[in-house]
Amino acid sequence: MLINLLLMTTCQNSNHNSPTGKENKYKEGFVDSGNVKLHYVEWYGVGSVLVLIPGLGDTPFIFDSLAKGLSPNFRVIGYSRRNHGKSETMEEKYDN
């Protein structure tokens, strides 16, 4: 469900410029469901959405080089799992 929320949130935002008018190579944001706050990174691209999921202990920034290569053909999004990187959870016990 959080992945769907993440996709809906990022797909609705098509603004690829920063507030200063300069194009960034990526943008960061959060999807907050109340108990879980997931950090995501979107590398600006065009086409279908491609979600990259890092391994245990990594953050989406591990995909920086890969995402830059994929972004001419895909809208690339990566996220940090719960309690990894900038993501948070209020739950003490959960199943992945």
Side-chain angles (χ1 to χ4, degrees):
M1 181 170 154
L2 288 175
I3 297 297
N4 292 337
L5 181 60
L6 176 65
L7 290 175
M8 289 186 309
T9 301
T10 57
C11 290
Q12 290 173 359
N13 183 356
S14 60
N15 180 10
H16 288 187
N17 292 320
S18 70
T20 62
K22 295 180 183 177
E23 191 162 333
N24 293 328
K25 60 182 179 177
Y26 64 84
K27 74 172 181 179
E28 298 180 69
F30 291 90
V31 175
D32 192 341
S33 70
N35 289 333
V36 178
K37 182 178 176 183
L38 292 180
H39 171 249
Y40 72 88
V41 176
E42 178 182 354
W43 290 267
Y44 299 121
V46 294
S48 299
V49 175
L50 178 64
V51 178
L52 303 176
I53 305 170
L56 196 59
D58 286 324
T59 70
F61 293 107
I62 196 162
F63 297 120
D64 194 49
S65 294
L66 177 63
K68 288 176 189 172
L70 293 170
S71 63
N73 300 305
F74 295 96
R75 190 167 177 193
V76 184
I77 301 168
Y79 72 94
S80 294
R81 295 171 181 243
R82 292 175 279 188
N83 285 333
H84 290 83
K86 297 177 184 177
S87 291
E88 304 171 0
T89 183
M90 302 295 287
E91 301 170 9
E92 291 185 23
K93 184 177 179 181
Y94 52 83
D95 295 324
N96 282 325

